Amino acid sequence: NAGVTQTPKFQVLKTGQSMTLQCAQDMNHNSMYWYRQDPGMGLRLIYYSASEGTTDKGEVPNGYNVSRLNKREFSLRLESAAPSQTSVYFCASRYTPGGEQYFGPGTRLTVT
Amino acid sequence: AQSVAQPEDQVNVAEGNPLTVKCTYSVSGNPYLFWYVQYPNRGLQFLLKYITGDNLVKGSYGFEAEFNKSQTSFHLKKPSALVSDSALYFCAVTPRGGGGNKLTFGTGTQLKVEL
């Protein structure tokens, strides 16, 4: 049982480049989430998917898109990266609204 | 809209002493409340949660938290701190019912336990 996995672990992009962060969970969870973590700001929700086939904006969605490919996989795409998107990105999943979220190990992204 | 406040950026405590990490929240209706811990270069790990019932919730690694509805607080406590407890701690809230899928986190409190 791998839990929540994320790829890649590290990435450096130039301004304007695009990339997709991949996330997968093997716990049969319904809901999946993408967060970014910045010093002094805690975790901020970018997008979430309450169930397969649905996605919704979180607190900071601008500059990002998501795809819930199936129940297991939830990807985050940066179409045109900006230095302000330099951050650590975490994917998470949970089974029910009252249940705890399980987090992946994170992707450290630097945009130069 | 829901929000979480962790008023202390850092808490320092000597090993063996009790520790408290503070959290207050704002949410419509009754909340689900959570504490998570993050070690350096790792993802967040679940510590404990309040759903309903007893206001004192016990969790992993000897941690507990007390839900106080009147003060809208959910402080994390441990009777005797260990050096290995040093980490970043996050409080989080989600409302029951509508919007229940969105977890809002505090900004985190760095706990430093010294010998």
Side-chain angles (χ1 to χ4, degrees):
Chain A
N1 208 353
V4 180
T5 57
Q6 292 182 237
T7 55
K9 286 187 167 35
F10 301 94
Q11 185 71 48
V12 179
L13 291 177
K14 292 187 183 339
T15 297
Q17 288 184 317
S18 62
M19 78 162 296
T20 300
L21 282 64
Q22 306 287 354
C23 173
Q25 52 92 9
D26 62 1
M27 296 173 284
N28 200 35
H29 285 172
N30 293 316
S31 302
M32 298 186 73
Y33 308 81
W34 277 105
Y35 295 92
R36 58 178 290 173
Q37 183 179 22
D38 302 292
M41 303 194 73
L43 274 78
R44 293 181 292 170
L45 183 64
I46 304 171
Y47 270 94
Y48 69 103
S49 171
S51 60
E52 188 179 356
T54 69
T55 61
D56 285 286
K57 294 178 181 179
E59 185 183 352
V60 288
N62 290 345
Y64 305 95
N65 283 302
V66 291
S67 295
R68 182 76 182 264
L69 304 170
N70 48 54
K71 192 170 186 178
R72 290 187 64 248
E73 298 171 289
F74 188 40
S75 63
L76 178 72
R77 182 158 179 85
L78 286 70
E79 291 290 352
S80 179
S84 61
Q85 294 178 304
T86 293
S87 188
V88 181
Y89 292 85
F90 289 102
C91 178
S93 69
R94 69 176 172 183
Y95 188 64
T96 63
E100 59 269 29
Q101 290 189 7
Y102 292 82
F103 284 79
T107 295
R108 190 173 294 272
L109 175 66
T110 301
V111 183
T112 61
Chain B
Q2 65 233 42
S3 64
V4 175
Q6 293 182 243
E8 301 153 319
D9 290 336
Q10 181 159 322
V11 169
N12 297 320
V13 64
E15 188 174 53
N17 282 1
L19 69 87
T20 298
V21 182
K22 295 179 181 176
C23 171
T24 58
Y25 66 91
S26 173
V27 70
S28 297
N30 293 317
Y32 295 123
L33 292 156
F34 302 83
W35 276 102
Y36 288 83
V37 60
Q38 185 181 33
Y39 298 100
N41 300 314
R42 303 287 296 274
L44 276 69
Q45 296 177 30
F46 168 76
L47 272 182
L48 52 81
K49 67 181 176 184
Y50 172 80
I51 302 291
T52 188
D54 195 347
N55 290 342
L56 185 64
V57 179
K58 294 189 184 297
S60 306
Y61 313 121
F63 283 93
E64 57 191 28
E66 186 167 11
F67 171 63
N68 187 317
K69 187 173 183 178
S70 63
Q71 297 186 3
T72 61
S73 67
F74 190 56
H75 300 332
L76 182 69
K77 301 182 180 186
K78 188 174 182 182
S80 179
L82 299 172
V83 171
S84 57
D85 293 330
S86 298
L88 186 58
Y89 290 81
F90 289 97
C91 181
V93 66
T94 187
R96 298 170 196 258
N101 279 305
K102 294 168 67 172
L103 199 61
T104 298
F105 285 84
T107 53
T109 298
Q110 186 71 48
L111 174 66
K112 188 173 182 181
V113 182
E114 298 165 312
L115 289 169

